[in-house]
Every structure is written in C-alpha cells, then in structure tokens.
Amino acid sequence: MNEVRAVRRPRRTKPHRPNELFAAAAAEFAAKGFAATRIADVAQRVGLRSRGSVYRHFDSKEAMFQAVVVKTMAPHVEALRARSIAPTSSLAVLLRGVVRPMAEIAVNSALGGVLKMVIAEAHNFPELSRIWYRELLGPILEVITAAIIRAQAEGEVRQGDPHAFALQAIAPLITLLIWRETFVPAGAPEHDVEAVLAQGVEAFLGGVLISQPAAAPAGWEPCGLAGD
Amino acid sequence: MNEVRAVRRPRRTKPHRPNELFAAAAAEFAAKGFAATRIADVAQRVGLRSRGSVYRHFDSKEAMFQAVVVKTMAPHVEALRARSIAPTSSLAVLLRGVVRPMAEIAVNSALGGVLKMVIAEAHNFPELSRIWYRELLGPILEVITAAIIRAQAEGEVRQGDPHAFALQAIAPLITLLIWRETFVPAGAPEHDVEAVLAQGVEAFLGGVLISQPAAAPAGWEPCGLAGD
Amino acid sequence: MNEVRAVRRPRRTKPHRPNELFAAAAAEFAAKGFAATRIADVAQRVGLRSRGSVYRHFDSKEAMFQAVVVKTMAPHVEALRARSIAPTSSLAVLLRGVVRPMAEIAVNSALGGVLKMVIAEAHNFPELSRIWYRELLGPILEVITAAIIRAQAEGEVRQGDPHAFALQAIAPLITLLIWRETFVPAGAPEHDVEAVLAQGVEAFLGGVLISQPAAAPAGWEPCGLAGD
Amino acid sequence: MNEVRAVRRPRRTKPHRPNELFAAAAAEFAAKGFAATRIADVAQRVGLRSRGSVYRHFDSKEAMFQAVVVKTMAPHVEALRARSIAPTSSLAVLLRGVVRPMAEIAVNSALGGVLKMVIAEAHNFPELSRIWYRELLGPILEVITAAIIRAQAEGEVRQGDPHAFALQAIAPLITLLIWRETFVPAGAPEHDVEAVLAQGVEAFLGGVLISQPAAAPAGWEPCGLAGD
DNA sequence: GATGAATGAGCGTTCATTCAT
DNA sequence: GATGAATGAACGCTCATTCAT
C-alpha cells in the first residue's frame, strides 16, 4: 500500500557542503533541463531528505539554475582569457594554443552540458545566453578575428569575411559539444574530441593561409575515431 | 452531482485547420521549449478559445511535440537526400551542391528552432535525437565521408580521419543555426548564413584538397556580415 | 501520427431507432456505471458517429441514465404485479408462483445490471432507489408479508416478524443477482439461478410452515451448481 | 517564465493523522462512489486546505479507493476466520456462532458501505471484487458448505445442493446490508439487523434440518421491526 | 436527422515554496 | 541546519453539451 511513511531516520554522517549541492544541481539540470528537474531530485542526490533544506542554500529554483550556468562557466572563462590575451601571436600559434585547452576543457568539464542548457533556455533565461556570449564566445571570436585581420593585412590569409572565418574556426568545437550531449546518447558515433579538433585546426589553417602553413608542431598528428 | 457541465457557445470566427495548429505549436515550442509551452498558448495562438479543442488534433502534449519535430524535419530530409544521392560526384561538387540548399533551408525554415528543441529535449525525448541522427545528420555525414574517402584514395584529399573532416564540413551550419537561435537574440551579431557557409566550404576545400581546388563557380564570391 | 481525421464517411445503412440507442445506453451503464460511461461510448455502440447525435434522443446523460433504470424495470413491474395481485393464495402457492418468474426474469433480463446501478448510484440518484423500492421491492414484500400474516393467523406459520420472513424469502434472489454481476466475473462459481431459488423456496417453506408443507409440485426438484 | 509559484501559509490548526484521512476517504467514497468523490472533498473533510496535501498520504485517487476497500475489510476477515475456523462444530452451532458476530460487524462497521462500493465498481476495479470473494465471501461459504455436507452425510440435513444452501444462509445478511445502504435512505423501513438475522438462522435451520433443531439458546427470541 | 468542430467547466496531479519544530 | 507537513497555483486532459452545416 502507499501509506508507509514513518520510521525514524539515522542522522547523516557528514554535513552537506554547498559545493555538493551545487554539483548535484548542475548534474540534474544538465541531464534533464530546467523544467524537468525537480528540487526533490537535487535534494535526494546530495542526501538531503527534504526539499525544504535546499532553500537553505538557494533562494529559488531559478537562482539555482542561473548559479549553475554562470559558475560552471566561470573558471574556464579565466583560463581561456589568460591564454588568448596575447594578441600579437600569429593566427596559427593562437589557434593551436587556444583550441587544445578548449578541447581539454570540453572533454573534462561540464561545459557541454551547460552549453546545452544555455541553448535550451535561451528564451526563458535570456540573461544566460547574454553572459555566455559576452564572457566566453564573444571574446574568443574577437581574438581570432583580430588575428585574422592582422594576417590578412600582411597577406598571409586569403581574402574573406574575418568574422566568418573565426566562426568557422570555432564551429567544430561547438558542434562536438552538442554532438556529445545530444547525438552520442542517441547512437551516433563518439569522436575523440582533441584529435578531431587538432585535425580541424590544421585543415582550417590550410584552407585559409595563403602560403604553406608552418608544419604542425610535434604532437599534432592526424587523428581517427575515438577508440581506434 | 458532479457531472453537471454547462457550456456556452461553440462559435468560431474562422475555421482552424490542423496546419495552423501545427504551425502554432511549432512556434510556441521553438520559442519556449517543451515544458514552458502551455496548451493554452497554442490554443490561443490559433484562435481557439479552449484548451480542450487542441485535443481534437493531438492526443497529448508530447505527441504534439514529437509531431512538430518530426514533421518539420521531414520535407528537408527528402530534399537533402535527393540532392546527395549522386554519390559519384567529386567532393567539391558535392559540398557546393549540398551546402547551398542547406543554407537556404536553414534560413527559410524552422529547422533552427527544431534543432534547438532536439538538443534541449534530448534527454526527455530520446527518440527525437535518434530520428534526427538517423534520418538527417547521419546520412549527410555518410555521403560526405564517402566522398572524402574516395578522394583520399585518388590522392586528391590529404590524409586524415574522413569522419572528422565530414564533421568539420557541416560544423559551420550547425553552429550558425544555434548561433541564430541562441546568441543573436542575446545581442550577438547576425551572420549572412549563405555567405558564411559558402566561404566556409571554399576554405574547407582549400584546406583539404591537395591540388588546387577547381575554381569556385560564379556566384560563390566571398561574403561579409549580413547587413553589410 | 495523430492527425488523421478527415476522409468521407459512407452513410449508415439503416436508421438508428431510439430503442437501439436505449439498449446501448443500458449496456454501457450496466457495465461501467454512470460516471465511467461516456456519451461517446453509447454513440459508438449504436453506430452513431458523433456524440451530438445522442442529444437528438436524450436531453442529458442523467436523463438517459434515469430512463434506462426506470424503463428497464417497468415491464417486469407489470408482470410481477399481475402475478402477485391475487393476494388470497396461500404462502406456498404465492412463493412458488412468484419466485419462478422472478428467477426467469433475473436470468434473462438486464435487471441484475440495473439493480447494480441502483445500488451504486443510490446517493447520486436517490429518486431511482425510491422508485425501485416503491414500484418493485416494496409491493413484492408487501404481498409476501400479507400472506405470512394470514398464515400466522391461521396457525400455519410459526411466530416471528413477518417482515423479516418476507425479506428472508427474497434475499436469495437479490443475493444471486449481485453475485452474478459482481463476484462471478471475479472468479466466483456461477449458480443455476432457477434451481437455487427453487431449492431456497422449499427450504424456506420448510423452516417457516408449522405442518408439513404440501409436496412441491412437479418440476421443483432439488438443484445443483450450474453446469452439473 | 512558467515556473514561478507563490505560496501563502502552511499553517494548520491540528495535525492530520493518516487515519483521519483514511476515515474521511472511506466516508466520502461510501457516500458518493468513486467517480463522484473529489479529492477536494476528502481534503476538506479532514481539514486540509489543499488537494495536494492528500497526496502526501496516497499516491492516487485509485490507490486511495483500493486502500479504503481493502483495509476496511481486513480486520473483519480476521475476526470471522477466527470464529469459523472450528470446522467440526455442527451446522447449528456454526451458523449461530457466525451470524451473530457478522450481524454486529454489519451494524457497527463500514462494511455495508464498502460492499456497496465493491458492487458499484466491480467493473472498474475488478481486483476489489476478487479480493472480497477470495478473502471474505469465499471462505465463509466454504465453511458453511462443508458443515452442510457433513450434516447431510450424517442424515441430519435434507438432500440438496449444499452450495445453494450456504448461499441461502448468507443471503439475508448481504440483502440487509444493501437494504440499509440503498433502500432505507430511499424511504424503505429499517430493520433490526441482529434480530432479523437471528430469526433467519432459525428459520433456515428449521427448513434444512431433518430432525427437530435443538432449541434456540436463550437470547434468540423472535424479533420485530427496528423501532418497534 | 446526423455530423463534427468547438466550448468550458472541472478534476487529478505535480511541485516550488513556506514554516513550525 | 535539517525536516516534513502543508500550501496553492498551475496545467494537462476529459467530456458533457452546443450549434452551424
């Protein structure tokens, strides 16, 4: 029957740090999306036995969601900004120096799930996509675009819209993140993110640089499907 | 008694065809996502005064959602399949012949919104991402991959994972769709999809073909930002 | 999908007589009860393609229900009244003359289902139980009670509350009706209604008459389980 | 946004124990039946101000209904089983020993209302009539039938279908329960259940036993209408 | 007479949120 | 700090009923 409720509960052995709660929320939101995630799910995941306890740490479900999106993004913003802040490097150096850490981040962090959430809730949480564009995507594109403009001015890069080139340079990363979050669970083959991106950078440079691109540094070999 | 139900007037201003309902549902879902869309929103958008009326055409909200995703995709599946079914064409011909119609579709159809929905609801509606992969993305990637393998065998394309190349080839399209749906409303600059994609195809070919690519046919000039 | 609605419909070959509708309603109500029966069920059962058509014949679902209960009962009321209106007959003659036709009616008519409906909806349709008591159960009990009182006055029947005896006399019939409607579908063994009732009448008479009861007329042998 | 939900005051005047809720549900269901009972009715009856609160104790309306039917029956099943488990007693002792407690139960418990519910919802909740037959009616009939068969073997009871006799023995009880639930509220005279049943047992024994039945024990006098 | 599109009231159920303990 | 009982606002869905054709 469905009446059995009572019995006394043993105290939890260790306290719930806010960080655990945060991680739980991130995992739930990334998996199910905002609306389909219930406060009870998050509570249960950290071992809290009542939904009410969650409100010790967050004012509302929406605040929780925003915090998850923003704070998950934050450390990577710093990392990428630090790496791309040397705006004088050549396009090849820049891309090779930016793409690999991005690939690592993409593989090891929850950024993919967060990007998915940003896309999904762009209408309901416009602030989030604004932040993502302003803090993350915009700056990256700007640095690349600037490098391309410089290279075009020096005759190293073919004519063409530099913004379009920059977007093209970034596109495989974004596509791979979505691929992994959306289509791999649906049966699509998984890719070795770092390998695909490395190959992509080289091909991109080959298609954009007028002279022969400098030989790729050691460690940038061609790649294959993950699992090869 | 509890069965007494009164009713007012089944008057209507105009006949509501199923297609209108369908379009309304697509628009609402694309804008707000599945959970945040209320049946009442859809009803109101087509001029129906009661939520119940919607159920003459759809069995449930979920069925409605699935129908929107699948049927919006369907005609384009046919179109693309027809165009890419000549598998003997060279890589350059294939890409130029596939990317432009895809760009047109992307610009003029609701595919962008639907892709967003597929990404957002991948967890809650796994069947939809499965269908999208099986019917749309998978076949496109296969055709491109096959063309690359063929070209590699004939020494026309550089070594490298052909699947990765194929993914790279379509990445700008996917990225642009998401860009438009997610970041443009957040203040990001809008791009001229067809121009960016055309430039992307040429750059991709330039980076991948070993010999000089055949000159791009007339009409494929470099592009700029939309609105320039 | 769930959109397919249209196509043109061939006309029905024969018109729907109200009687057919009535029978359909009776069957549905008896099976599912008032609330669980939908107008659409009734319409479909008679071959009407729209719920609205039902309203040509009935003002409301409640009116339909009441009509079913009352009109199903009506002919049997007449029959029983005719048979029990000769109040001068002895108790044995009366019971043997009333129980057998009641058994036949119980077996062959929808009275069992209607009794079930009356019981189920006694609170929501008090008028129906009132009618059933006033028109059917009350008169039958009265006749039997009167016969018992007469027999007691002549020393043929033992002392005791005649109303209680009368109730006891018809209890097997009521119980069997409920048994068939409620417990036989649940796996309980089915009984041969006429045989059980005949045996019951004899046992009842045996327990109530002071002298030996007149031998049962031919055709009233002991009975067994149906199917024996 | 569609997730904004405000709330007022979770103040309550007294603690609502599950048992109170259960009783309230039983009362509502018995009075109105399953469909006509609204969750709000039950909530209000126990002093809960919101329908949602009911769902802390029951998973669904159907579960609530089933629980009411099953758990109301349960204690009486035990009681009756205990009393009829001495299968060696004579038919007279058995009936006199079983019928009186059954009468008391019938008068003082909610079994009448529950039987009504079982009958009314036999189609929609077939499991309930199955349980009632298996746990309650079936065992009782079996014990009585067995006693009759034994008595017939010893020449104490007249020939005849023992199952039919058993049903006849039980019939007044079932009929009285239905009578009270269905027809008394419709104006039918109320009976003194214990008295009618006691008289019925004696008459039944008189009609079934071949020799003179043992004199009824003290306290089993003839009865009259309740209220006399 | 029948059809079917439309209506709208109502109900079961969910769940974010509150608060006394 | 945590608990859990309670709240109340939605929202999906059903279905009796109406009415123009």
Side-chain angles (χ1 to χ4, degrees), chain D residues 13-88:
Chain D
T13 51
K14 59 169 184 171
H16 306 287
R17 277 170 293 284
N19 283 347
E20 300 176 29
L21 223 192
F22 189 89
E28 291 288 327
F29 281 135
K32 305 185 197 166
F34 177 76
T37 294
R38 285 161 302 174
I39 296 293
D41 298 336
V42 178
Q44 195 180 29
R45 191 183 264 253
V46 280
L48 286 170
R49 280 212 291 273
S50 81
R51 287 170 280 172
S53 304
V54 172
Y55 287 85
R56 294 199 74 68
H57 303 282
F58 293 96
D59 287 345
S60 70
K61 192 187 179 188
E62 303 203 354
M64 210 164 132
F65 186 69
Q66 307 223 26
V68 163
V69 170
V70 172
K71 291 184 123 174
T72 302
M73 174 187 70
H76 308 306
V77 169
E78 295 310 315
L80 285 172
R81 199 164 267 176
R83 205 165 310 248
S84 56
I85 216 152
T88 52

Side-chain angles (χ1 to χ4, degrees), chain B residues 7 9 12 16 49-51 53:
Chain B
V7 158
R9 59 267 105 133
R12 69 160 181 263
H16 307 287
R49 281 211 291 272
S50 81
R51 287 170 279 171
S53 305

Side-chain angles (χ1 to χ4, degrees), chain C residues 161-225:
Chain C
D161 177 10
H163 296 94
F165 282 142
L167 204 67
Q168 187 184 358
I170 66 164
L173 174 60
I174 290 176
T175 301
L176 274 172
L177 286 177
I178 289 165
W179 190 263
R180 191 182 61 183
E181 297 292 327
T182 303
F183 297 109
V184 169
E190 203 170 349
H191 291 98
D192 177 335
V193 174
E194 300 193 43
V196 172
L197 289 181
Q199 176 177 318
V201 166
E202 298 312 313
F204 174 77
L205 290 173
V208 150
L209 295 181
I210 288 174
S211 59
Q212 293 301 327
W220 285 81
E221 332 78 59
C223 59
L225 277 180

Side-chain angles (χ1 to χ4, degrees), chain B residues 37-69:
Chain B
T37 294
R38 286 162 301 173
I39 297 293
D41 298 336
V42 178
Q44 195 180 30
R45 191 181 264 254
V46 280
L48 287 171
R49 281 211 291 272
S50 81
R51 287 170 279 171
S53 305
V54 172
Y55 288 85
R56 294 200 74 69
H57 303 282
F58 292 96
D59 287 344
S60 70
K61 192 188 179 187
E62 302 203 355
M64 209 165 133
F65 186 68
Q66 306 222 27
V68 162
V69 170

Side-chain angles (χ1 to χ4, degrees), chain A residues 2-3 5 34 62 124, chain D residues 1 3 56-59 67:
Chain A
N2 60 339
E3 232 77 342
R5 295 275 160 180
F34 177 76
E62 304 199 359
N124 301 320
Chain D
M1 192 76 12
E3 309 296 328
R56 294 199 74 68
H57 303 282
F58 293 96
D59 287 345

